[in-house]
Amino acid sequence: EAKLFSEIIRRLPDSEVIIESDDNLRVSITCEKADFKIAGKPAEEFSYLPTIEKEKYISISQFTLKEIIRQTIFSIAPGDVNKLMTGELFEVHENELKVTSLDGHRISIRKVNMRDSYADQKVIVPGKTLSEISKILSGDTDKDVLIFFGRNHILFEFDQTLVVSRLIEGEYFRVDQMLSNDYETKMTINKKDFLDSIERSVLLVRENDKKPIILNLQ
């Protein structure tokens, strides 16, 4: 059982761990004076990863992918209110990767230029998958992530890790039509000054209040 196994390993001393199993599938986990015995299951019951053809792919740095996820994941919808809103749209066009997320109130769009040009792709990746990948990415600018696109699955390959996820089926929202270009007011402001002002203004707001920040432009 993955959760139990993970909790055991996490609490073991920083030393060599010995993992053994017997003919009855009893698993022994030993580290210094710690000794755990848990029940295993037949390996035949394990669901193996689906085979994905490694033809359609892109390559970006771990740092870039981690930043893309960080800057878009907050605006996906929780739960199954709308399946499409729980994922992010990955669009590849030549040497540009465009990632979009929305939850009905907010839209996040992140564009990044890649070193090479690739075949056009458009897939919806579950937000839960991206959150988990973000946790295990090193964020190293010198290490790349290979992202392979299958018909129903997506594969992330980096370091000695493979992460496979099902894609979300359906036609994503036409975000370009939601964005207007005829705004009444447009201003340019220093990013750090703006962020500092926001952080000061929310000091007295409790997290559960969900009160808006009011901007007065004069």
Side-chain angles (χ1 to χ4, degrees):
E1 184 186 342
K3 187 174 181 180
L4 177 60
F5 180 68
S6 174
E7 290 296 321
I8 290 173
I9 299 298
R10 193 162 64 88
R11 287 173 169 78
L12 291 178
D14 187 11
S15 185
E16 186 178 77
V17 180
I18 299 173
I19 304 173
E20 299 175 304
S21 64
D22 60 22
D23 294 336
N24 296 320
L25 302 180
R26 282 180 60 82
V27 181
S28 172
I29 305 169
T30 309
C31 180
E32 294 184 1
K33 296 181 180 179
D35 187 12
F36 290 86
K37 288 182 172 57
I38 59 176
K41 293 182 179 180
E44 294 74 20
E45 295 181 11
F46 190 77
S47 299
Y48 285 92
L49 299 176
T51 302
I52 297 179
E53 296 292 335
K54 293 186 175 182
E55 295 178 1
K56 302 174 182 178
Y57 77 98
I58 61 173
S59 175
I60 61 175
S61 74
Q62 291 196 32
F63 173 81
T64 301
L65 181 58
K66 197 177 181 78
E67 280 294 285
I68 288 173
I69 296 172
R70 182 183 67 82
Q71 294 170 340
T72 55
I73 200 70
F74 64 88
S75 60
I76 65 168
D80 293 324
V81 180
N82 185 315
K83 194 76 173 175
L84 295 175
M85 288 186 181
T86 64
E88 298 193 4
L89 177 66
F90 275 55
E91 291 180 277
V92 178
H93 178 62
E94 296 180 349
N95 72 327
E96 182 183 83
L97 170 64
K98 178 181 177 183
V99 178
T100 306
S101 64
L102 61 85
D103 62 2
H105 303 284
R106 302 167 296 184
I107 300 174
S108 297
I109 300 174
R110 179 72 162 86
K111 297 178 182 178
V112 60
N113 290 323
M114 298 178 287
R115 292 186 295 267
D116 302 309
S117 294
Y118 301 94
D120 288 3
Q121 296 292 327
K122 185 184 289 189
V123 297
I124 307 172
V125 186
K128 187 175 181 181
T129 298
L130 296 174
S131 293
E132 294 303 320
I133 287 175
S134 179
K135 294 175 185 176
I136 56 179
L137 284 170
S138 68
D140 196 329
T141 55
D142 297 326
K143 293 183 178 180
D144 288 346
V145 182
L146 295 177
I147 305 176
F148 297 93
F149 302 96
R151 180 176 296 179
N152 300 310
H153 294 84
I154 188 168
L155 165 64
F156 297 85
E157 183 176 321
F158 53 95
D159 297 333
Q160 293 179 311
T161 304
L162 297 176
V163 179
V164 177
S165 170
R166 285 193 67 88
L167 296 170
I168 297 176
E169 298 181 6
E171 186 69 27
Y172 202 73
F173 308 96
R174 298 175 184 262
V175 175
D176 291 340
Q177 296 181 4
M178 301 178 186
L179 300 175
S180 173
N181 290 319
D182 57 348
Y183 299 107
E184 292 182 8
T185 306
K186 182 178 180 180
M187 69 174 188
T188 303
I189 190 169
N190 180 278
K191 184 168 66 175
K192 186 178 185 305
D193 291 344
F194 188 42
L195 182 59
D196 289 344
S197 298
I198 292 173
E199 289 178 344
R200 284 192 292 268
S201 67
V202 298
L203 281 174
L204 301 180
V205 179
R206 293 192 205 87
E207 190 173 338
N208 295 329
D209 283 352
K210 295 184 178 179
K211 291 182 178 178
I213 296 175
I214 299 171
L215 305 179
N216 290 316
L217 311 181
Q218 296 179 351

